[in-house]
Amino acid sequence: MGFPMEKQMVFLGLVVLFPLLCTSDNTFTSSRATYYGSPEAYGTPGGACGYGGYGKTVNFGNVAGVSRLYRNGSGCGACYQVKCTDTEYCSDDGVNVVVTDAAEGDRTDFVLSTRAYTKLAKPNLAMEMFDYGAVDIEYRRISCKYSGYNLMIKVHEQSRYPQYLAIVILYVAGQNDLTAVELWQEGLKEWNPMRRASGAVFDYANPPSGSINLRFQLSGNAGYTWVQSNNAIPGCWKAGAVYDSSIKLA
């Protein structure tokens, strides 16, 4: 899945982010999981969420592609605890993963990176787990916690100053789904929606000059809420740059 633009956009930058994942009180749901191979056992930088290098290395490469949990991109960045249930090789805690892609296997909700799939097994029993290919699991949503980081905004490398702005949202902590992003148009005195181009990537043609105010709609345990960042992106923004929104989520 890519950008529905004249040409497909890709991330070239590598952003290494390591979240601390805290479990919630949610009950477990039964499903199935499989895995995909990669040379380094990490995630893929070409995932549908548009994270680029972040999607490969976040959470030490313990990442997953999901099917119905992708939710048209609003499920990107969500964290889950996944435990296998149908073999004697299964570990008690399983693995905590971050959603970075959309994917579907053999009646599965999760397609795990090789590194993540290995952690479903007890120590030294990973090879036996791989023989199964797909396993029964149970999973639950957990909170993402990024110690020392606020919500961050990365300007997509294919943005073209000043005519076209695309951003990807990083460090969405807690159990929050990012459902909308709006940009303030000072001349019109109104908030205008940015388009969800792909996954966690939002874009806007002909953005206003000067610094840009943004607000983000989040869906979480408290329902829908808006959080706002004034001067979130400077007037002289640059493609590939990462900016701090000063928004701290829990």
Side-chain angles (χ1 to χ4, degrees):
M1 177 177 177
F3 293 93
M5 307 293 294
E6 294 179 358
K7 62 179 182 178
Q8 184 174 347
M9 299 178 180
V10 295
F11 274 122
L12 303 177
L14 179 62
V15 184
V16 181
L17 310 175
F18 300 135
L20 301 177
L21 304 181
C22 302
T23 59
S24 73
D25 294 328
N26 293 350
T27 57
F28 284 95
T29 300
S30 297
S31 185
R32 283 168 56 81
T34 186
Y35 66 94
Y36 63 89
S38 67
E40 298 172 326
Y42 287 97
T44 171
C49 291
Y51 287 135
Y54 168 88
K56 179 179 179 180
T57 59
V58 65
N59 195 33
F60 300 97
N62 295 309
V63 298
V66 293
S67 51
R68 61 189 179 89
L69 296 173
Y70 181 72
R71 300 192 303 278
N72 295 318
S74 64
C76 289
C79 297
Y80 293 91
Q81 181 186 11
V82 180
K83 301 193 299 181
C84 70
T85 60
D86 62 348
T87 85
E88 67 273 27
Y89 307 122
C90 296
S91 66
D92 292 335
D93 296 327
V95 61
N96 295 342
V97 297
V98 180
V99 172
T100 60
D101 200 356
E104 188 171 3
D106 178 16
R107 298 175 289 114
T108 64
D109 276 318
F110 290 85
V111 181
L112 304 175
S113 67
T114 306
R115 185 173 291 249
Y117 193 83
T118 298
K119 292 188 176 180
L120 292 179
K122 294 176 181 177
N124 304 314
L125 293 176
M127 294 308 298
E128 287 81 356
M129 184 71 68
F130 281 111
D131 289 340
Y132 281 83
V135 292
D136 292 333
I137 62 161
E138 57 182 14
Y139 70 90
R140 64 177 176 176
R141 181 81 180 263
I142 61 176
S143 292
C144 302
K145 184 176 180 180
Y146 299 93
S147 179
Y149 290 94
N150 299 318
L151 183 147
M152 305 292 285
I153 304 157
K154 182 176 181 180
V155 177
H156 193 281
E157 285 84 355
Q158 293 300 317
S159 296
R160 300 184 298 276
Y161 180 86
Q163 296 91 357
Y164 172 76
L165 173 66
I167 60 174
V168 59
I169 313 303
L170 311 174
Y171 291 106
V172 181
Q175 293 190 49
N176 295 296
D177 292 337
L178 181 63
T179 52
V181 180
E182 293 185 346
L183 176 152
W184 177 252
Q185 285 279 18
E186 179 64 27
L188 300 175
K189 301 297 181 182
E190 65 182 18
W191 290 98
N192 287 335
M194 300 186 74
R195 182 185 68 141
R196 187 187 290 274
S198 178
V201 184
F202 295 79
D203 66 1
Y204 198 92
N206 300 313
S209 59
S211 62
I212 297 174
N213 300 335
L214 296 173
R215 69 177 184 177
F216 309 89
Q217 186 185 62
L218 302 170
S219 174
N221 294 332
Y224 288 94
T225 59
W226 286 95
V227 292
Q228 182 173 328
S229 177
N230 295 326
N231 305 317
I233 300 176
C236 55
W237 52 266
K238 299 181 183 297
V242 179
Y243 302 106
D244 190 337
S245 73
S246 299
I247 296 171
K248 188 171 184 63
L249 300 174

